[in-house]
Amino acid sequence: MIDKSKVFVYPKDVSAFGFDWGKLSLTVAPEVNGAVRFSGGVVDLPSGKGHTRHNHPGAEEIIFVISGHGEQMVEDEKGNPVVDKVGPGCTIYVPESRFHSTLNTGDGAMQLFVVYSPAGPELGLRELPDFRLLPPGQ
C-alpha cells in the first residue's frame, strides 16, 4: 500500500527482497511512498556474497558503500569489465544499461545504498529463482 506521507523510512519498516546473496529493502519507490523519478534502498551482503553480473536496461544506478569492503565491477562503454576495490564512502556510478556486479570481500557484512533512475528495474528482481519477499523487520 502506498503511503505518500512516508518521508522518513527505515529498512526495518518495509518488506525486503531476499536472495541467496543478500537482501534489498526498498525505502523509496513508487509502491512505498509514491516516488516517481527514482527508487532506492538498502542492500545487505553477507561476507563472501554478492550479486552476479547484470544490468538494468534503460536505467542508471548509483551505489553508495555505507559499510564493509568489496570488489565492484562496472563494464566500460565497450563492454570490458572494470574492477576496483570499494569501501565505506565510495560512490559507484553505473551508466544506463551497463553491466555490473558487487562482491563482499570483507570479513563482515557489507551495506550499500542504491538508487535507480528511472524507478522500476528493481521490480524485475522478483522474477529471479531465489527471490523471496521478507516481512518488515527480517
Side-chain angles (χ1 to χ4, degrees):
M1 183 168 124
I2 298 171
D3 181 353
K4 291 188 178 189
S5 69
K6 278 188 174 180
V7 294
F8 303 105
V9 183
Y10 290 88
K12 67 178 179 57
D13 296 333
V14 295
S15 299
F17 293 6
F19 306 95
D20 293 344
W21 51 262
K23 71 178 181 176
L24 166 62
S25 302
L26 289 174
T27 54
V28 178
E31 63 276 13
V32 174
N33 43 21
V36 293
R37 291 187 175 87
F38 57 86
S39 60
V42 177
V43 174
D44 292 293
L45 298 172
S47 181
K49 299 288 186 174
H51 57 78
T52 58
R53 178 185 177 274
H54 68 284
N55 73 341
H56 307 288
E60 295 176 293
E61 182 176 0
I62 296 168
I63 303 169
F64 179 79
V65 180
I66 298 170
S67 62
H69 293 86
E71 286 185 354
Q72 180 67 48
M73 185 280 292
V74 179
E75 289 186 349
D76 66 16
E77 60 280 347
K78 295 180 182 175
N80 300 309
V82 177
V83 179
D84 206 348
K85 294 186 183 311
V86 296
C90 183
T91 300
I92 299 108
Y93 168 59
V94 182
E96 182 178 335
S97 305
R98 207 69 68 79
F99 282 91
H100 58 286
S101 63
T102 307
L103 175 64
N104 179 351
T105 59
D107 293 334
M110 184 177 196
Q111 192 170 63
L112 314 168
F113 189 81
V114 298
V115 177
Y116 307 96
S117 179
E122 69 284 353
L123 297 179
L125 296 171
R126 291 176 174 258
E127 305 304 318
L128 295 176
D130 63 338
F131 169 81
R132 58 196 177 282
L133 190 62
L134 304 174
Q138 282 197 355

